[in-house]
C-alpha cells in the first residue's frame, strides 16, 4: 500500500521513512549490513566525521516506470564513484556488490514511499560513508559506517522548466589537484557561503571557473554544465569537475539517440556568447535550462531565452526521461530493477 502522501506537493526536503541501511566497518572489514528503523545516529563527540569531515556521499533515485517496476538508473556508476570518492579520503571503499545489494534492500523495504509513475516525484537515495571512531591527531578513522537513507522528493520543476540566471562566482569550488572530482561533503561546506550570497543577489546558482586560470567553465555547486551549439553537444572537461552520471549519460543520448556531435573538452568562458543553449545537469532535475549568465554585470543572454528550455535540450531531456521511465528503449544495463 502506497503511503498517504500528496506526491504533487512534495518539495526537495527530508522526510523520515520506515527503514535505513547501515553497515559497520571494524577490524579491517565491512559487515554484511542490516536495515534499522532509528533515523538517529549516536557517535562519539570526537568522531573523525565531526572533527575532520571524513565523509563521502552519493545521490540517486528510485522511481516507478511505465510498466509499474520500481527501478534505479545506472547505480553501478554510483557504486564506482563512491569507491573513488572514498579512496581519496582514505575511507575503505564498499564493493559494488554490497552497494547494489544495500540499495535494493533499502528501497524494497521502503517501497510504499516510492511515488507512482507519472507523478514526477521519486524516492531520493542518499548513500554515505563516514569515519566514526574518536580521532584527534589528524589521521583516518579506523571505524566507519556505510549508510543509506531514502526520502520521497517532489517533481523538480513544478509547472515546467523555467530558465534560470546564474552568476560567475568570485570563489572557487575546487582547487587544482584538490577534491573537486569526488563527491565529498567538504566540497559543499565551502560552497554554502557563496550560494547564500548568490541567492541574496537574486541568482539561482554560482558558475565556477577553473581555479588555476579563471578562463574556463567548470560547473555549478552541484551540477555539470552542458551547451548546444548548432549540431554539437559541448561539455567542459577538467580534473576538478565532478563526473556527473547524468552528464555522462546525456553524452551517449546526444550521440546515439539524437545524432549530435559530442565534444568533451576544455570550454573557455569566452565561448559562452557563441552557444545556442545552455543547461545544468544532475540527478535531481536531469536538465535545467540557463537563460542568462551574469559576469560581474556583463550579461550574456543565451539565445534560447528566458521563457522556456531550448529545443535541443528539451529533446535531450525528454529522451533521457523516456529511457529512465521505460517509454524509450534503454541502452543495455542502464535500468536496474529493484522490484
Ligand atoms: C552530484 C553532483 C553532480 C551531479 O551528478 P549526477 O551523478 O548527475 O547526479 C554534479 N556536480 C557536483 C559537484 C555534484 O556533487
Amino acid at each position: 500500500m502506497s503511503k498517504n502522501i500528496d506526491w504533487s506537493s512534495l518539495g526537495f526536503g527530508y522526510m523520515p521513512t520506515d527503514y535505513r541501511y547501515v553497515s559497520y566497518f571494524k577490524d579491517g572489514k565491512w559487515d554484511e549490513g542490516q536495515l534499522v528503523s532509528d533515523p538517529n545516529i549516536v557517535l562519539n563527540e570526537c568522531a573523525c566525521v565531526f572533527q575532520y569531515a571524513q565523509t563521502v556521499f552519493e545521490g540517486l533515485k528510485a522511481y516507478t516506470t511505465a510498466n509499474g517496476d520500481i527501478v534505479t538508473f545506472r547505480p553501478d556508476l554510483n557504486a564506482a564513484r563512491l569507491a573513488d570518492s572514498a579512496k581519496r579520503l582514505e575511507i575503505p571503499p564498499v564493493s559494488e556488490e554490497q552497494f547494489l545489494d544495500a540499495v535494493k534492500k533499502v528501497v524494497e523495504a521502503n517501497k510504499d514511499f516510492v511515488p507512482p509513475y507519472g507523478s514526477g516525484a521519486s524516492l531520493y537515495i542518499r548513500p554515505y560513508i563516514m569515519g566514526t571512531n574518536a580521532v584527534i591527531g589528524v589521521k583516518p578513522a579506523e571505524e566507519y559506517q556505510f549508510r543509506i537513507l531514502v526520502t520521497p522528493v517532489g517533481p523538480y520543476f513544478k509547472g515546467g522548466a523555467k530558465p534560470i540566471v546564474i552568476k560567475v562566482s568570485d570563489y572557487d569550488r575546487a582547487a587544482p589537484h584538490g577534491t573537486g572530482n569526488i563527491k565529498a561533503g567538504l566540497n559543499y561546506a565551502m560552497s554554502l557561503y557563496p550560494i547564500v550570497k548568490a541567492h541574496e543577489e537574486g541568482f539561482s546558482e554560482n558558475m565556477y571557473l577553473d581555479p588555476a586560470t579563471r578562463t574556463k567553465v567548470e560547473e555549478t555547486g552541484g551540477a555539470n554544465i552542458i551547451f548546444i551549439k548548432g549540431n554539437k553537444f559541448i561539455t567542459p572537461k577538467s580534473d576538478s569537475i565532478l563526473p556527473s552520471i547524468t552528464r555522462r549519460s546525456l553524452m551517449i543520448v546526444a550521440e546515439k539517440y539524437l545524432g549530435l556531435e559530442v565534444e568533451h573538452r576544455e570550454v573557455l568562458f569566452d565561448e559562452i556568447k557563441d552557444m545556442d543553449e545552455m543547461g545544468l545537469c544532475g540527478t535531481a532535475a536531469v536538465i535545467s535550462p540557463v537563460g542568462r549568465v551574469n559576469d560581474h554585470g556583463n550579461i550574456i543572454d543565451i539565445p534560447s531565452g528566458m521563457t522556456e528550455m531550448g529545443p535541443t535540450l528539451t529533446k535531450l531531456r525528454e529522451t533521457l526521461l523516456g529511457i529512465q521511465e521505460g517509454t524509450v528503449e534503454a541502452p543495455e544495463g542502464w535500468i536496474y530493477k529493484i522490484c
Side-chain angles (χ1 to χ4, degrees), residues 57 59 78 81 173 183 188 219-224 242-247 281-283:
F57 69 100
N78 296 98
R81 192 170 64 185
R173 74 167 279 281
K183 226 169 162 69
Y188 279 79
E219 60 172 324
T220 66
N224 281 186
L242 193 282
S244 156
I245 293 165
T246 313
R247 189 259 301 158
C281 69
T283 293

Side-chain angles (χ1 to χ4, degrees), residues 13 22 56 59 81 99 112 118 122 160 185 192 269 298:
V22 57
V56 291
R81 192 170 64 185
F99 182 93
D112 294 347
S122 59
L192 295 175
F269 181 79
N298 289 324

Side-chain angles (χ1 to χ4, degrees), residues 77-325:
L77 298 189
N78 296 98
R81 192 170 64 185
L82 184 65
D84 289 342
S85 299
K87 286 175 206 159
R88 179 66 176 79
L89 296 195
E90 284 294 333
I91 292 172
V94 170
S95 70
E96 175 180 309
E97 192 191 359
Q98 180 171 5
F99 182 93
L100 295 178
D101 173 65
V103 167
K104 186 169 161 58
K105 282 192 175 124
V106 72
V107 173
E108 228 169 358
N110 292 290
K111 68 176 186 305
D112 294 347
F113 290 92
V114 181
Y117 173 68
S119 64
S122 59
L123 185 72
Y124 186 73
I125 305 170
R126 168 55 58 86
Y128 55 111
I129 313 178
M130 64 196 153
T132 53
N133 64 291
V135 166
I136 195 85
V138 177
K139 63 176 183 192
E142 275 141 25
E143 294 176 12
Y144 295 84
Q145 289 186 26
F146 165 43
R147 284 185 163 258
I148 305 181
L149 69 84
V150 298
T151 191
V153 293
Y156 197 83
F157 297 120
K158 289 180 180 153
K162 285 273 170 253
I164 56 171
V165 182
I166 65 176
K167 70 168 281 190
V168 176
S169 183
D170 290 322
Y171 298 90
D172 295 322
R173 74 167 279 281
H177 318 294
T179 54
N181 61 337
I182 64 164
K183 226 169 162 69
L186 58 91
N187 292 334
Y188 279 79
M190 48 109 254
S191 77
L192 295 175
Y193 181 79
I195 195 63
V196 168
K197 288 270 170 259
H199 287 164
E200 280 170 7
E201 294 164 12
F203 300 105
S204 298
E205 288 290 344
N206 277 309
M207 173 171 150
Y208 294 101
L209 299 179
D210 75 295
T213 71
R214 297 193 147 254
T215 57
K216 290 171 269 186
V217 179
E218 292 250 314
E219 60 172 324
T220 66
N224 281 186
I225 296 178
I226 58 178
F227 297 100
I228 301 294
K229 183 181 177 185
N231 193 43
K232 285 183 185 159
F233 174 102
I234 302 169
T235 187
K237 186 177 199 168
S238 152
D239 290 343
S240 44
I241 290 178
L242 193 282
S244 156
I245 293 165
T246 313
R247 189 259 301 158
R248 286 184 275 163
S249 303
L250 286 169
M251 287 168 65
I252 294 168
V253 171
E255 189 185 327
K256 301 274 191 278
Y257 287 68
L258 301 186
L260 302 176
E261 199 180 315
V262 172
E263 292 185 357
H264 186 209
R265 57 165 173 84
E266 291 188 340
V267 176
L268 292 174
F269 181 79
D270 284 343
E271 292 182 68
I272 296 179
K273 63 181 190 321
D274 304 322
M275 301 292 184
D276 297 326
E277 299 176 44
M278 176 174 182
L280 309 182
C281 69
T283 293
V286 181
I287 299 175
S288 7
V290 175
R292 171 178 283 185
V293 179
N294 187 319
D295 175 23
H296 304 88
N298 289 324
I299 308 280
I300 304 168
D301 279 315
I302 308 298
S304 52
M306 285 303 297
T307 49
E308 56 189 19
M309 191 180 296
T312 306
L313 287 186
T314 301
K315 257 187 265 170
L316 270 169
R317 181 164 189 271
E318 282 171 2
T319 308
L320 185 57
L321 276 174
I323 288 170
Q324 293 182 337
E325 293 180 341

Side-chain angles (χ1 to χ4, degrees), residues 27-50:
D27 303 325
K29 57 179 191 301
W30 288 107
D31 72 12
E32 71 278 16
Q34 58 185 303
L35 296 172
V36 296
S37 53
D38 189 350
N40 301 299
I41 304 174
V42 176
L43 293 180
N44 184 273
E45 61 190 346
C46 208
C48 198
V49 59
F50 298 142

